[in-house]
Amino acid sequence: MRWTQTLIPTLKETPAEAEIISHQLLLRAGVVRKLTGGLYSFLPLGLRSLRKVEKIIREEMDRAGALEVQMPALQPPEIWQQTGRYETAADVLYKVRDRAKKEWVLGPTHEEVITSLVAGEINSYRQLPKNFYQVGVKFRDEIRPRFGLMRAKEFIMKDAYSFDTTDEGAMASYRRMYDAYTRIFTRCGLKTFAVEADTGVIGGNYSHEFMVPAETGENDVAYVESGNYAANIEKASSRGPLTPVGRSSTGGAPEKFATPGVVTIEALAAAPYGVPADRQIKTLVYLVNGKLTLCLVRGDDQANEAKLAGCFGTTVFRAATPEEIVGTLGARPGSLGAVQMPATAAGIQVIADEALRGAAGMTTGANEDGFHLRHVDIERDIRVTRWADLRTVKVGELSVSTGEPIQIRRAIEVGHVFKLGTKYSEKLNAMFLTEDGQRHPAVMGCYGIGVTRTLQAVIEQSHDKDGIRWPMSVAPYQVLITPLGAAGSETMKAAEALYAELTRRGIEVLLDDRDDRPGVKFKDADLIGIPLRVGIGEKSLAKGELEVKPRGGALEPVPVARAADRVAEIVAQEMTRLNG
RNA sequence: CGGAGCGUAGCUCAGCCUGGUAGAGCACUUGGUUUGGGACCAAGACGUCGCAGGUUCAAAUCCUGUCGCUCCGACCA
């Protein structure tokens, strides 16, 4: 391709709307353009890279035995009602109406559709296992789209769904996808690591997210130095707080004391009260299925909402409003506690964090504004209906499995593998007959890769101060030829000859045939990040040489006659390296 | 949804406080000079100042509403 024939609208200045480097480079390098918030058009360069990521994904999915299909983006709401996700996923569902006023949803994912499909077409164990995948557009009504392609209203996703006859079979399918994902991201030139992920209301321990370490990521990941433990912060657990809970009990009964205006852990920890945060019980109130539920964590701990969801068995819950709380507990947030509860709170569930087990000599709210209770012994004074891990782990705590101190870093989630079980197959009747004639729901798994997000993650991980540094495997073009000279010059003639020869060999070449100054061409070359550049200037050409230069690497003079061979060699080496 | 900020040329922004003929740099067009890391000179084209209402002799500027964008938080199958 000739530069003057395509469209590569590079920007010298950084658009004000882009905050993170990958987003800035997407715009500056002419990869994408924004239509409006969360919606982007891919320009010629961007589309080429996107197609390459998709191609790698298809090759590895096919290699893993998955079957490509294509399912509708527009879906009937009925199947969403059947799985219950019409309500639980309501926040992200785009809904539209047709001329007859019938409602439709724009698919944010395709579990319902694929399971309906399988329910109709697969009846026997002889037809299983199967794994179906597609690459297509998803729609999500994100509360806050941001960071360009990272969190968009419309994005491209590869989603796969496996159907097995047994749990063991489902595990094998899961493992195959896990391995395929590892290969996919490696081939894209991305350094990723897999972390244990929250399984939400479905439960179980089989969910991993593939993460790209990046300060701009939206996920916190807990990990240990050896690499033998890594988990999303939503899932991560530890051996407990670094300062274990004490039993500094006086043995006395809970004692009420006045704390006028004190409604925070910090205020109670400060003078004149001086109650350390780890000697306080934090009382949180949630509205779950229409009922108030108390959650107790240590004063210095943070409740983890993903763990709460698992505990509640639903993701549909919210913090109770002060009005709801006062009506039941008789006090406002900041003065709440589970020791003495009014009659209006009879039967209320009290879920306490494991870190509070055995705690005595604690201080908590008295359910009376302006008062707290001290000398509280949680096992003696509080009727705990359930103990559970509710807290968010902190840096330095010891890993349950390896005993190493936990560290926390930010990361971008680019892929997710999940063992679903039979939740969807049961609800949508995806049943098969076993060898001995019994009806069983298929055991499912689902596997997603954010394709457009992956593309941006590559840039986030692979760039320098001058621009993008595309890995050879996903670069829009493998080689950029930069002749320094106008049309008709000797340098341009040499460039044309090399362009023809490389193209003949099947190498993807971009020829910068613009009549521009060298500085402009070099700056743009660095910005758009083609991994290998061939410079052709009068001085070197007079010596019978061209200049071969990897992006970000050293310049190598090569005789004109050997140039095509040398370029082909480097391209092949790099592709082989990435493809493992 | 709560908090903050911003909407002026394709891009980056000034002008607004203190109302009075809409600006700069980059990009674009033409001509010339240049040509190894975002050139220079000259001429030119490009604007419903986000939108709507109000105040005023007069509104980019003041007031009200509204839409959009960005950031923080909440939220995130």
Side-chain angles (χ1 to χ4, degrees), chain A residues 329-341:
Chain A
L329 293 175
R332 301 180 60 80
S335 302
L336 305 177
V339 177
Q340 295 165 353
M341 289 193 282

Side-chain angles (χ1 to χ4, degrees), chain A residues 46-348:
Chain A
L47 185 62
R48 289 184 66 94
S49 284
L50 181 66
R51 290 284 181 255
K52 288 190 173 185
V53 174
E54 292 177 354
K55 183 163 183 282
I56 289 169
I57 290 172
R58 286 194 168 94
E59 286 172 6
E60 293 301 330
M61 292 304 289
D62 292 346
R63 184 208 293 262
L67 304 165
E68 186 169 7
V69 295
Q70 190 72 57
M71 294 181 271
L74 199 60
Q75 305 174 8
E78 287 80 5
I79 53 177
W80 287 82
Q81 284 156 355
Q82 278 185 59
T83 59
R85 292 210 294 183
Y86 189 78
E87 281 78 31
T88 57
D91 288 351
V92 298
L93 275 184
Y94 275 110
K95 295 168 185 172
V96 296
R97 291 189 183 277
D98 63 17
R99 71 184 81 193
K101 304 288 187 244
K102 177 182 162 43
E103 184 180 282
W104 300 85
V105 305
L106 288 172
T109 176
H110 281 73
E111 279 84 2
E112 280 78 4
V113 178
I114 191 68
T115 311
S116 299
L117 180 71
V118 166
E121 307 307 325
I122 290 187
N123 309 301
S124 163
Y125 73 95
R126 294 173 190 274
Q127 294 167 292
L128 295 175
K130 286 280 184 293
N131 186 340
F132 299 100
Y133 80 95
Q134 64 173 352
V135 180
V137 177
K138 306 292 183 207
F139 299 88
R140 295 189 190 185
D141 189 0
E142 293 287 351
I143 296 172
R144 179 144 92 91
R146 58 178 135 182
F147 301 150
L149 305 176
M150 284 298 182
R151 184 170 287 277
K153 293 176 173 170
E154 180 189 315
F155 59 98
I156 297 175
M157 183 176 188
K158 186 286 301 174
D159 47 326
Y161 308 90
S162 65
F163 295 82
D164 280 88
T165 57
T166 64
D167 220 50
E168 298 72 53
M171 280 313 303
S173 295
Y174 182 91
R175 191 72 220 174
R176 255 196 306 282
M177 284 297 101
Y178 185 104
D179 293 341
Y181 275 33
T182 303
R183 290 184 55 86
I184 287 167
F185 294 124
T186 300
R187 288 185 60 186
C188 288
L190 260 186
K191 290 185 181 66
T192 59
F193 61 107
V195 309
E196 293 176 21
D198 176 45
T199 49
V201 297
I202 292 174
N205 274 319
Y206 299 107
S207 178
H208 287 86
E209 289 163 339
F210 285 77
M211 295 287 190
V212 176
E215 280 311 304
T216 54
E218 296 187 276
N219 297 86
D220 280 312
V221 170
Y223 68 101
V224 297
E225 197 60 46
S226 69
N228 292 326
Y229 177 72
N232 192 308
I233 198 79
E234 295 181 340
K235 161 84 176 176
S237 57
S238 72
R239 294 185 182 176
L242 288 174
T243 54
V245 70
R247 280 201 65 88
S248 62
S249 172
T250 58
E255 176 193 3
K256 188 158 85 176
F257 64 108
T259 51
V262 172
V263 294
T264 62
I265 300 289
E266 294 72 38
L268 196 57
Y273 308 104
V275 182
D278 63 8
R279 306 296 301 163
Q280 299 184 41
I281 299 172
K282 190 190 289 185
T283 306
L284 305 166
V285 188
Y286 291 90
L287 188 71
V288 188
N289 295 327
K291 288 190 287 193
L292 292 190
T293 301
L294 295 193
C295 294
L296 311 182
V297 297
R298 227 170 65 167
D300 59 332
D301 277 335
Q302 287 292 118
N304 183 320
E305 300 230 334
K307 291 180 179 179
L308 289 178
C311 203
F312 296 154
T314 176
T315 55
V316 185
F317 66 91
R318 60 168 173 79
T321 64
E323 293 70 32
E324 291 164 342
I325 293 170
V326 170
T328 302
L329 293 175
R332 301 180 60 80
S335 302
L336 305 177
V339 177
Q340 295 165 353
M341 289 193 282
T344 44
I348 199 166

Side-chain angles (χ1 to χ4, degrees), chain A residues 325-501:
Chain A
I325 293 170
V326 170
T328 302
L329 293 175
R332 301 180 60 80
S335 302
L336 305 177
V339 177
Q340 295 165 353
M341 289 193 282
T344 44
I348 199 166
Q349 294 272 310
V350 179
I351 304 175
D353 183 66
E354 292 286 358
L356 285 171
R357 255 193 214 278
M362 305 294 284
T363 297
T364 188
N367 283 335
E368 184 177 342
D369 287 351
F371 291 91
H372 280 77
L373 294 174
R374 56 188 161 216
H375 309 319
V376 171
D377 179 331
I378 192 165
E379 314 243 10
R380 180 193 67 193
D381 302 322
I382 296 180
R383 192 183 54 80
V384 174
T385 36
R386 183 169 173 191
W387 293 91
D389 175 19
L390 300 178
R391 63 189 292 276
T392 301
V393 298
K394 294 179 187 167
V395 171
E397 292 174 4
L398 303 183
S399 158
V400 173
S401 50
T402 77
E404 294 165 90
I406 282 173
Q407 303 182 51
I408 295 176
R409 68 158 67 146
R410 301 285 284 178
I412 300 164
E413 178 193 349
V414 289
H416 195 169
V417 294
F418 201 124
K419 181 167 167 286
L420 281 176
T422 56
K423 174 182 170 169
Y424 293 95
S425 49
E426 282 173 20
K427 288 183 169 156
L428 290 164
N429 210 30
M431 312 292 277
F432 67 94
L433 283 184
T434 61
E435 202 167 355
D436 52 1
Q438 294 187 346
R439 267 169 71 80
H440 277 306
V443 187
M444 294 176 59
C446 67
Y447 317 94
I449 291 178
V451 182
T452 36
R453 180 184 285 182
T454 296
L455 190 71
Q456 186 170 344
V458 170
I459 298 174
E460 189 68 27
Q461 191 174 77
S462 188
H463 67 268
D464 61 21
K465 66 176 173 47
D466 296 314
I468 302 172
R469 294 180 62 171
W470 287 113
M472 187 67 79
S473 55
V474 296
Y477 293 91
Q478 295 168 321
V479 178
L480 172 64
I481 302 176
T482 312
L484 307 179
S489 64
E490 287 305 311
T491 52
M492 193 61 84
K493 284 178 191 164
E496 290 280 359
L498 181 63
Y499 175 67
E501 174 58 20

